[in-house]
Amino acid sequence: ICDDHAMMREALAGVVDYAWPDAHITKVPDFPSAWAAAAQQPDLCLCDLGMPGASPVEGIRHLREIMPATPILVITGQDDDDILLNLFELNIAGFIPKTSKSAAIEAAIRVVLSGEPYLPPRLLALATRGRARMSADSPSIPRLTDRQMEVLNLIAAGQSNKEIARDFGLSPATIKAHTAAIIAALGARNRAEAVARAQAAGLL
């Protein structure tokens, strides 16, 4: 857990400890300390952007170089679109706003530990626009992960988040996070519109 504010470090540690009581947690206040801790190749890194020792992009880039296989979940209060898009291109696991509630943070962690990216709707839209800028001449077909496609198919079949969670052995909060990402990726306003847009795009 990397954050220059002690209160935020303790809050994040509390979320992790509650959900994973056997987890070993290392807390650091700056990028140089984060780089040193990264050498231990942790299972997950929760990292703030505005920490001493480096700019946000350089700090995260060096973390990625040290631990290429570790999911990095960025805990952010940052609203600079260019910085967020640059970070997305570093293959981080996802973003979660600092204003998120504990349940949302836990759900985001569970999503990235399962190997899937976690992007709140606004940031997913940014990432989608970023990809569109790089391929403006080609038709835009939303790209969903394998898990998101599985969830989308069950939504299309009429299943609720609780039913889907039971089928996959996941928490409803995790499925809710996947559903939000699917709706945002498809530019929809709700589940029904997401299904309709997916059908129109040939995804279903």
Side-chain angles (χ1 to χ4, degrees), residues 132-200:
R133 286 206 301 262
M134 292 184 285
S135 56
D137 295 331
S138 63
S140 177
I141 297 177
R143 290 187 295 175
L144 302 179
T145 67
D146 290 343
R147 175 65 82 189
Q148 288 168 353
M149 282 302 305
E150 292 172 344
V151 171
L152 178 60
N153 275 284
L154 292 180
I155 291 174
Q159 290 197 21
S160 67
N161 285 347
K162 287 185 178 180
E163 291 171 331
I164 297 171
R166 185 174 61 246
D167 287 349
F168 288 139
L170 299 172
S171 72
T174 298
I175 299 303
K176 185 176 181 180
H178 280 310
T179 301
I182 291 166
I183 290 171
L186 293 169
R189 291 169 294 182
N190 51 48
R191 290 161 58 102
E193 186 177 341
V195 170
R197 285 177 175 265
Q199 290 171 337

Side-chain angles (χ1 to χ4, degrees), residues 76-148:
T76 180
Q78 178 66 255
D79 58 2
D80 186 312
D81 292 359
D82 288 334
I83 288 178
L84 296 178
L85 287 172
N86 287 338
L87 289 170
F88 183 72
E89 292 170 5
L90 294 178
N91 195 32
I92 64 169
F95 300 95
I96 187 162
K98 283 192 171 184
T99 54
S100 300
K101 295 182 179 180
S102 297
I105 295 173
E106 179 185 339
I109 292 173
R110 291 189 184 279
V111 168
V112 301
L113 287 178
S114 74
E116 302 288 344
Y118 179 85
L119 296 177
R122 173 183 169 271
L123 296 183
L124 182 57
L126 288 178
T128 302
R129 288 204 301 272
R131 289 195 298 266
R133 286 206 301 262
M134 292 184 285
S135 56
D137 295 331
S138 63
S140 177
I141 297 177
R143 290 187 295 175
L144 302 179
T145 67
D146 290 343
R147 175 65 82 189
Q148 288 168 353

